[in-house]
Amino acid sequence: MRREIAEQADVIAGLGADPTQFREAAEEAKARGIRFVVFAGRGTSDNAAVYGEYLATILAGLPAGLAVPSAATLYRAQIDLRDCLVIGVSQSGETPDVAEYVANARQAGAFTVAITNAGDSALGRAADRTLVLGAGQERAVAATKTYTAQLGALALFWGAWVGDQSLLDALREAVPAALATAVRLEERIRRVAALLRDADRLIVTGRGYNFATALEIALKVKETCYVAAMPYSAADLRHGPIALVEPRYPILLLAMAGPTCSGMVELYEELCARSAQVVVVTDTDVDFRAAVETVRLGRVVPEPLSPLVAVVPGQLLALHLSLARGLDPDRPRSLRKITLTR
Ligand code: F6R
């Protein structure tokens, strides 16, 4: 897991070096007059799908949502997917309900795209277009480099869709550089892990593009540390679950530059007023002096790409919290690399 976390800068640089497949797929999809986008994925790939929803909606102005796989695979619903783009996301390409959803969607009139690390897979064969991550084999059960590669692929696709050359350029250079810098935060994260070693719960919160980051960090912590980590959008947290927060409640708060930042700072203040134990991950220079630790991401990338970098401290936290608890992050109990769900 540690090695694959460190590989992410190279994986994204490799992906960004040649955006051709993403541009072609985006052009082909646009030519179909797409009106709605549906994303399908499970686990980490579902978290990447959430990021995709934000890109499609914010950048391309298209309504977007997550698939309901059981509607197709168990309820056999006839879903009218004309004028829809369906994007299936799966590292292995072998998650059965994702592949089946995409195969059905293609028959139901959707234009279908697969994003996968295994082009020759059930998902790859099901879709009209397959975008291959080229991340190299991922050995750790807990996905890391394929998650950032999925984010990179989605950003390249939607960056090409709207013709935003600055996003494509940043994926080639600024993001790999920021990933390489983020990996060097390991010592600081080890300190955070020591602080949280005996925690049995954790709230992870972010907003906007980084809601996906909160989902993914919470999943990694659950899988590798067996800590009940709950992800919340900052808005949802304030609508009820914040009642859980009592003194010393551990919180990981993502405060990234952009339109969500001032709300995250307000939430931070509210949580500190409740004497929660707040760890902040930020790429801003806001002074979070009441936080127990502030993890500063040294380099700022365009906000839509910030989830590729902001997830790294969370991946390192899952790794080091697992080790601090005497666990083996490479052997999470009762998990396999491919889970067969229908
Ligand atoms: C998380 C993890 C799982 C997978 C999920 C989907 O670290 O490994 O949650 O993300 O089983 O797998 P793929 O992406 O192969 O469809």
Side-chain angles (χ1 to χ4, degrees):
M1 184 178 176
R2 184 168 188 267
R3 191 174 60 231
E4 289 168 355
I5 291 172
E7 280 171 23
Q8 293 179 110
D10 288 345
V11 169
I12 297 303
L15 203 59
D18 183 8
T20 313
Q21 58 169 339
F22 303 98
R23 192 178 307 119
E24 286 176 359
E27 277 165 10
E28 200 178 340
K30 272 181 99 167
R32 304 279 188 113
I34 297 299
R35 291 286 313 128
F36 192 82
V37 192
V38 180
F39 293 89
R42 288 288 180 202
T44 286
S45 298
D46 197 25
N47 299 337
V50 169
Y51 172 65
E53 270 186 290
Y54 281 76
L55 288 173
T57 310
I58 299 169
L59 292 186
L62 284 170
L66 296 180
V68 181
S70 65
T73 62
L74 302 181
Y75 292 95
R76 303 279 166 206
Q78 299 299 310
I79 312 166
D80 182 355
L81 289 166
R82 284 169 299 172
D83 306 331
C84 291
L85 168 62
V86 172
I87 302 185
V89 187
S90 169
Q91 177 279 131
S92 63
E94 298 297 349
T95 290
D97 46 1
V98 174
E100 194 177 331
Y101 186 88
V102 169
N104 285 351
R106 191 175 178 181
Q107 291 211 324
F111 182 66
T112 53
V113 171
I115 294 183
T116 178
N117 207 25
D120 185 17
S121 59
L123 177 64
R125 287 186 293 275
D128 292 291
R129 268 267 177 184
T130 298
L131 303 175
V132 180
L133 300 175
Q137 192 193 350
E138 187 170 63
R139 289 177 192 279
V141 171
T144 54
K145 65 174 177 174
T146 57
Y147 173 70
T148 41
Q150 288 167 345
L151 301 193
L154 286 160
L156 284 163
F157 179 86
W158 290 105
W161 183 288
V162 296
D164 186 336
Q165 191 57 41
S166 67
L167 275 195
L168 305 187
D169 291 346
L171 278 157
R172 206 177 49 242
E173 283 164 21
V175 175
L179 282 165
T181 308
V183 170
R184 290 189 217 117
L185 292 166
E186 194 160 4
E187 271 320 302
R188 179 164 286 254
I189 303 290
R190 216 193 288 268
R191 278 213 302 278
V192 177
L195 215 66
L196 299 180
R197 200 190 62 162
D198 299 319
D200 57 0
R201 56 197 179 166
L202 175 72
I203 285 175
V204 188
T205 183
R207 199 159 182 211
Y209 289 109
N210 283 291
F211 174 44
T213 313
L215 292 168
E216 176 57 8
I217 293 175
L219 176 60
K220 288 291 94 97
V221 169
K222 277 185 279 226
E223 282 179 327
T224 60
C225 311
Y226 319 139
V227 170
M230 292 182 290
Y232 288 108
S233 112
D236 282 331
L237 183 56
R238 295 171 89 172
H239 274 274
I242 198 165
L244 286 169
V245 178
E246 55 194 13
R248 304 208 46 76
Y249 200 112
I251 316 258
L252 182 66
L253 182 139
L254 304 158
M256 303 300 286
T260 66
C261 190
S262 61
M264 295 309 302
V265 174
E266 268 173 37
L267 175 61
Y268 152 83
E269 283 163 358
E270 215 173 307
L271 294 168
C272 290
R274 291 167 189 249
S275 305
Q277 199 179 16
V278 185
V279 174
V280 178
V281 172
T282 188
D283 61 357
T284 69
D285 46 21
V286 175
D287 182 358
F288 293 99
R289 74 183 57 181
V292 290
E293 193 75 58
T294 302
V295 178
R296 292 196 184 274
L297 295 160
R299 288 166 186 260
V300 179
V301 300
E303 197 228 350
L305 303 180
S306 64
L308 281 88
V309 184
V311 74
V312 175
Q315 295 169 334
L316 289 169
L317 178 63
L319 173 77
H320 284 290
L321 189 54
S322 176
L323 293 171
R325 290 160 76 88
L327 303 168
D328 180 349
D330 284 332
R331 285 184 188 71
R333 67 184 177 211
S334 37
L335 288 180
R336 295 199 177 160
K337 193 68 184 155
I338 298 177
T339 304
L340 303 177
T341 45
R342 288 236 37 239

